[in-house]
Structure formats: structure tokens, C-alpha cells
Amino acid sequence: MSHTKQLEEFQKRLNAEVAEIREIQTKMMKINGVKSNLGAQQNENEMVKEELKLMEPDARVYKLIGRVLVQQDKVDAAAIVDKRLEYITAESSRQDKLMKELEEKQEHRRKTIGDIQAQAQALAQKGQKA
């Protein structure tokens, strides 16, 4: 293969790797957004849980459904909040795992780019000597 063709091939491979890194970064940004929302939901639910603990045993609890406040049993409300917190914690862990996988993929792509650049430089130096 000619020197120019090989350099063009390296450039195509580099462009493909850069495109993959951009795609990974887009996914990582989405995960960060999801994690941020989960964090806000977790804080909100923890505050509700604490408020429920402070209430008198016979206090009335209301849940907003649409535009209507519906009375709810305090024990049921606490159980729902606990389940919601479990879900949020599990989803947050899942997002952390996805982020770690994407970080590993990104690092692999960066190493591949470094390898391609090193090969291209070696070829360019070889071409200058010839």
C-alpha cells in the first residue's frame, strides 16, 4: 500500500475513533443528567420520610394526585416512600455501573487513538527518510 493511502487509512480510523468518543461522551452526559434527577428525588423522598417520622401516629397524610389531595394512611405512605427510595438507590447504582463501563470504553478508545497516531508518525518519519 502506498504511503499516502496508508496515511488516509490512519485518518479514517482516527475519525471513527473520535466519533465513538463523542458518542460515549454524549451518553455520559445523559447519565449525569439522570443521576442529578435521581439525587434530587432521593433528597425529596428522604425529607418526606423524616417528616412522616415526626408526625403523630394519628395524623392525617395527604397525597397530591393531579390537582386533588387524597387522604392516605401514614403507614402506607411511609411504605411507599421506602419503596421509592429503594428504587432510586438501585437505579443510581445501575447508572454508576453504566458510567464506569462508558469510562472504560472511552479510555480504550483514547489508547487506540494514541496507537493510531504513533503508527501514523512512524509511517511519516519512514516516508521522510525514504
Side-chain angles (χ1 to χ4, degrees), residues 61-72 77 80 84:
V61 176
Y62 293 90
K63 180 178 181 177
L64 184 63
I65 299 177
R67 292 195 229 165
V68 180
L69 284 175
V70 178
Q71 190 170 352
Q72 192 174 27
I80 290 169
R84 207 175 295 143

Side-chain angles (χ1 to χ4, degrees), residues 34-130:
V34 169
K35 286 282 292 174
S36 177
N37 288 340
L38 287 171
Q41 289 175 0
Q42 184 170 13
N43 288 338
E44 181 181 327
N45 280 282
E46 285 173 354
M47 286 191 310
V48 170
K49 185 177 180 175
E50 289 304 313
E51 288 295 320
L52 287 171
K53 285 180 184 178
L54 296 174
M55 295 175 73
E56 297 294 326
D58 60 342
R60 292 184 181 182
V61 176
Y62 293 90
K63 180 178 181 177
L64 184 63
I65 299 177
R67 292 195 229 165
V68 180
L69 284 175
V70 178
Q71 190 170 352
Q72 192 174 27
D73 182 56
K74 183 181 169 198
V75 174
D76 290 342
I80 290 169
V81 169
D82 286 339
K83 280 291 186 188
R84 207 175 295 143
L85 284 168
E86 285 177 28
Y87 167 78
I88 291 168
T89 301
E91 185 61 21
S92 183
S93 295
R94 191 178 77 81
Q95 294 297 320
D96 287 340
K97 183 179 175 188
L98 287 173
M99 181 63 88
K100 185 171 172 50
E101 289 172 5
L102 288 173
E103 287 169 349
E104 289 170 0
K105 284 181 182 180
Q106 184 178 29
E107 185 58 32
H108 174 73
R109 296 290 182 186
R110 287 177 194 242
K111 286 180 183 177
T112 301
I113 285 174
D115 292 345
I116 293 169
Q117 288 174 332
Q119 291 170 359
Q121 280 182 330
L123 181 64
Q125 288 174 352
K126 184 179 173 184
Q128 288 175 351
K129 290 179 183 177

Side-chain angles (χ1 to χ4, degrees), residues 7-60:
L7 286 176
E8 287 174 4
E9 184 61 33
F10 286 136
Q11 188 62 44
K12 285 180 188 177
R13 288 175 50 203
L14 272 175
N15 290 341
E17 293 297 326
V18 168
E20 282 292 325
I21 285 179
R22 284 191 183 125
E23 185 178 321
I24 289 169
Q25 289 173 339
T26 300
K27 289 177 183 178
M28 290 169 81
M29 286 174 38
K30 287 179 184 176
I31 288 173
N32 282 332
V34 169
K35 286 282 292 174
S36 177
N37 288 340
L38 287 171
Q41 289 175 0
Q42 184 170 13
N43 288 338
E44 181 181 327
N45 280 282
E46 285 173 354
M47 286 191 310
V48 170
K49 185 177 180 175
E50 289 304 313
E51 288 295 320
L52 287 171
K53 285 180 184 178
L54 296 174
M55 295 175 73
E56 297 294 326
D58 60 342
R60 292 184 181 182

